[in-house]
Amino acid sequence: MKLFLVVAAAAVLTGCSQQPAPKTAAAPPPPAKINHFYAGASAVERGEPVSLCYSVENAAAVRIEPPVEGVSPSPNRCVQAKPSADAEYKLIAAGRDGKEVSQVVQVKVVARSAASRQAAGGGLIGAFAATATQVGPGQPVTICFDATQAQSVRMDPAPQAMPSGRKGCVSLRPERTTTYKLTAEGGGRTDTRQVTITVQ
């Protein structure tokens, strides 16, 4: 009987001494990240649009200042702005952790007589640019284009997965230095832009 009481008392004391397991703290949300933000042209004619292209991750909200319509969180998106004078556009991505990150691009506005055809995009191609112009062999690079005014668009050399529309992005892994050419056609006009990815 005494042995039973001793064992029972020990069990009660052991149970009382056990502390509840601490609750595991929830992992904080990942911070917002801007992968790229660039303008389709560094200079445009006064009154002409320019494409602003960006890629963000883990963003709860995205905005561009000064305000531009159509901005929302996206891994690859282009929107159009129409600056009336030299402008600096700031992309701001807000994370679910309450913190913001930002990047800026500058666009110059030149007189109509001084703008080159390439800088203005030729009227059909609003943007054709790469996230990087220098990469290592086989490293990824994204090229985005915006040719919504065209009826047809093609890229040479042709990527394995070309977007079906006249606006989008392609991911490439060039093994050697390559010049990519975008050709847009529509309304009896042909417009071309090119970008060279240097592989080192």
Side-chain angles (χ1 to χ4, degrees):
M1 184 65 177
K2 290 183 179 180
L3 179 60
F4 172 77
L5 292 175
V6 171
V7 172
V12 171
L13 291 174
T14 302
C16 292
S17 64
Q18 288 181 345
Q19 299 295 326
K23 293 182 179 179
T24 303
K33 177 183 178 182
I34 298 176
N35 295 321
H36 63 254
F37 178 47
Y38 60 88
S42 60
V44 295
E45 294 179 352
R46 184 169 287 107
E48 292 296 320
V50 62
S51 293
L52 302 175
C53 300
Y54 63 89
S55 169
V56 298
E57 295 179 17
N58 308 319
V62 176
R63 68 184 188 275
I64 291 178
E65 296 178 353
V68 177
E69 294 183 358
V71 179
S72 62
S74 173
N76 277 305
R77 187 173 181 82
C78 293
V79 294
Q80 285 198 334
K82 189 176 286 188
S84 58
D86 293 356
E88 180 178 270
Y89 293 97
K90 177 185 286 188
L91 176 71
I92 302 170
R96 293 177 176 81
D97 57 359
K99 298 180 180 179
E100 294 183 341
V101 292
S102 65
Q103 286 187 20
V104 300
V105 296
Q106 295 181 340
V107 178
K108 293 186 66 65
V109 175
V110 295
R112 190 170 292 275
S113 59
S116 68
R117 181 174 181 271
Q118 181 177 2
L124 293 178
I125 300 175
F128 185 55
T131 55
T133 56
Q134 194 172 88
V135 297
Q139 287 187 338
V141 62
T142 299
I143 296 180
C144 296
F145 64 91
D146 184 353
T148 53
Q149 304 300 317
Q151 295 174 344
S152 64
V153 179
R154 69 178 185 274
M155 188 186 299
D156 298 305
Q160 291 184 348
M162 181 72 174
S164 58
R166 292 161 296 176
K167 178 179 178 181
C169 298
V170 294
S171 295
L172 305 166
R173 291 179 178 270
E175 294 292 342
R176 61 184 64 85
T177 297
T178 305
T179 296
Y180 296 92
K181 179 180 179 182
L182 185 74
T183 302
E185 297 178 340
R189 293 180 295 165
T190 299
D191 191 14
T192 62
R193 295 279 290 277
Q194 65 182 34
V195 61
T196 299
I197 308 299
T198 302
V199 177
Q200 292 185 334

